[in-house]
């Protein structure tokens, strides 16, 4: 039975990879995800939280987005919705992102994120940042953001690096609050990675 199930799973991944690309990964150290990109434009992602809590306190999220580019400008727009498995709260919103590749190695980006949380209410979040390619496979990045690392909107500065090797990408970052007097205590280390099949 296990062999049949494994064969079915591998067949589905192989068939879907023929017209699109499957991705698995981790986002912000606390969310595992399974993604699928259809014909380089439509991206769908299912995320599951990995909190050290019981299942009813975990979060599940669905995302759908369209990706495109015009000359030196890359853009994406999408929607998302999530809920706690126990049903105590829900979130939803829209993310619109643009990146301008001004020079060979410099990329300037911005994101606007109208975001609703049933506990924290509505917030218009945003992010502005830049990325510099050191070599082909390594970039340094920095941004100012109010987009939630987890659920609540906070004013934070992110800084880190992005590593790309083949189909694997890894992005370790430090997230530092802007307005807190105890920045070191509230600093977060966020790690994201993704592997495309």
């Amino acid at each position: 039975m296990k062999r049949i199930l494994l064969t079915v799973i591998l067949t589905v991944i192989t068939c879907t990879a023929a017209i699109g690309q499957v991705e698995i990964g981790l986002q912000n150290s606390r969310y595992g995800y399974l993604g699928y990109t259809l014909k380089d434009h439509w991206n769908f992602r299912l995320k599951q939280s990995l909190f050290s809590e019981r299942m009813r306190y975990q979060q599940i999220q669905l995302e759908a987005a369209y990706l495109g580019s015009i000359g030196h400008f890359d853009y994406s727009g999408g929607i998302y919705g999530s809920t706690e498995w126990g049903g105590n709260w829900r979130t939803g919103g829209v993310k619109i992102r643009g990146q301008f590749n001004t020079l060979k190695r410099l990329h300037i980006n911005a994101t606007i994120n109208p975001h609703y949380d049933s506990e924290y209410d509505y917030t218009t979040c945003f992010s502005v940042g830049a990325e510099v390619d050191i070599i082909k496979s390594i970039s340094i990045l920095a941004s100012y953001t109010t987009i939630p690392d987890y659920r609540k909107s906070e004013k934070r500065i992110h800084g880190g690096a992005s590593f790309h090797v083949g189909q694997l990408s890894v992005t370790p970052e430090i997230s530092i609050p802007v307005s807190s007097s105890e920045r070191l205590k509230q600093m977060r280390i966020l790690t994201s990675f993704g592997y495309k099949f």
Side-chain angles (χ1 to χ4, degrees):
M1 184 65 181
K2 288 181 182 178
R3 287 184 182 179
I4 293 172
L5 183 60
L6 182 60
T7 303
V8 169
I9 291 170
L10 290 175
T11 303
V12 169
I13 289 173
T14 303
C15 290
T16 55
I19 58 171
Q21 203 163 33
V22 177
E23 181 179 9
I24 59 169
L26 181 74
Q27 182 179 330
N28 288 353
S29 302
R30 294 193 182 184
Y31 299 96
Y33 69 84
L34 174 64
Y36 180 70
T37 303
L38 177 65
K39 297 182 179 179
D40 295 325
H41 289 293
W42 292 99
N43 181 261
F44 304 94
R45 189 173 281 190
L46 174 66
K47 290 193 333 189
Q48 172 65 49
S49 65
L50 304 171
F51 305 145
S52 56
E53 299 280 354
R54 287 183 293 171
M55 191 63 190
R56 63 174 304 198
Y57 299 116
Q58 299 294 331
Q59 174 184 351
I60 187 166
Q61 179 168 310
L62 286 171
E63 301 175 358
Y66 181 83
L67 319 171
S69 61
I70 302 171
H72 295 288
F73 184 71
D74 299 330
Y75 63 89
S76 66
I79 59 172
Y80 63 89
S82 67
T83 186
E84 182 189 50
W85 279 102
N88 293 321
W89 53 263
R90 296 163 307 285
T91 69
V94 174
K95 277 189 181 178
I96 300 169
R97 185 178 191 273
Q99 178 168 290
F100 187 56
N101 307 304
T102 56
L103 302 170
K104 188 176 181 181
R105 295 177 181 269
L106 177 64
H107 315 281
I108 298 171
N109 56 68
T111 303
I112 187 160
N113 175 211
H115 176 77
Y116 173 76
D117 187 296
S118 60
E119 281 188 9
Y120 299 115
D121 211 0
Y122 173 82
T123 311
T124 301
C125 305
F126 69 92
S127 173
V128 290
E131 187 172 338
V132 178
D133 299 332
I134 303 303
I135 58 175
K136 186 178 178 181
S137 59
I138 302 175
S139 303
I140 302 296
L141 49 91
S143 65
Y144 173 81
T145 184
T146 64
I147 296 173
D149 287 345
Y150 302 123
R151 274 183 62 204
K152 192 173 181 181
S153 176
E154 302 171 90
K155 296 176 181 176
R156 287 186 165 262
I157 294 173
H158 286 189
S162 183
F163 304 90
H164 306 276
V165 179
Q167 299 298 312
L168 175 68
S169 63
V170 180
T171 307
E173 291 182 281
I174 295 175
S175 175
I176 303 170
V178 172
S179 57
S180 174
S181 59
E182 298 183 339
R183 287 186 179 89
L184 289 179
K185 287 186 178 179
Q186 296 182 15
M187 181 178 72
R188 298 175 185 142
I189 296 175
L190 306 176
T191 302
S192 300
F193 75 84
Y195 184 80
K196 295 178 180 178
F197 295 92

